[in-house]
Amino acid sequence: MFKISRRMLGLVAATCALALAPLTPTAAAPQAGPLTAGVSCYSLGIQYNRGAFACDAYVSGGTGSYSYNWSPVLNADIGQNGGDYVLGSCTLGRTARVNLVVTDSSGASVASVGRFYCSSDPS
């Protein structure tokens, strides 16, 4: 007669449990890459007797969420700051410039400059 010990029964049960367990690979944390940012600005024509413009930020890499710090530099005033975009006024017929500093949740930051010609024609 064949006798099964408790130890052997435990080994059989453990082997069956491992065989039936779903195979789920452990995903490695994605590598985000370096933080990069750019600015795209364009003229919106004339509003309130001044030139109007909009700038959009585009960001990639880094860690987590981003904060945006916009500042007017030359022939531009920022009227509305929406985080990853700004709206403002500019001096017609002049080249204007805004600066952007983007900071990610780990504290890394990168700067970018938006240059555009302030025109009465929307672009």
Side-chain angles (χ1 to χ4, degrees):
M1 176 146 212
F2 185 52
K3 186 174 181 186
I4 298 178
S5 69
R6 287 186 181 183
R7 183 174 177 194
M8 187 175 276
L9 187 59
L11 286 173
V12 170
T15 303
C16 289
L18 285 174
L20 296 175
L23 297 176
T24 55
T26 304
Q31 297 298 319
L35 178 64
T36 61
V39 177
S40 175
C41 297
Y42 45 94
S43 184
L44 296 174
I46 298 176
Q47 295 178 2
Y48 308 108
N49 297 321
R50 287 202 70 197
F53 73 92
C55 294
D56 297 310
Y58 48 95
V59 180
S60 66
T63 305
S65 59
Y66 309 114
S67 64
Y68 303 86
N69 184 8
W70 295 89
S71 57
V73 177
L74 180 67
N75 297 318
D77 293 311
I78 294 174
Q80 180 180 351
N81 184 338
D84 63 349
Y85 73 92
V86 289
L87 301 173
S89 59
C90 52
T91 305
L92 283 169
R94 304 280 180 143
T95 298
R97 193 171 85 195
V98 296
N99 283 349
L100 169 66
V101 176
V102 176
T103 305
D104 70 7
S105 61
S106 74
S109 62
V110 64
S112 187
V113 177
R115 291 181 180 88
F116 59 97
Y117 181 75
C118 186
S119 173
S120 59
D121 295 323
S123 52

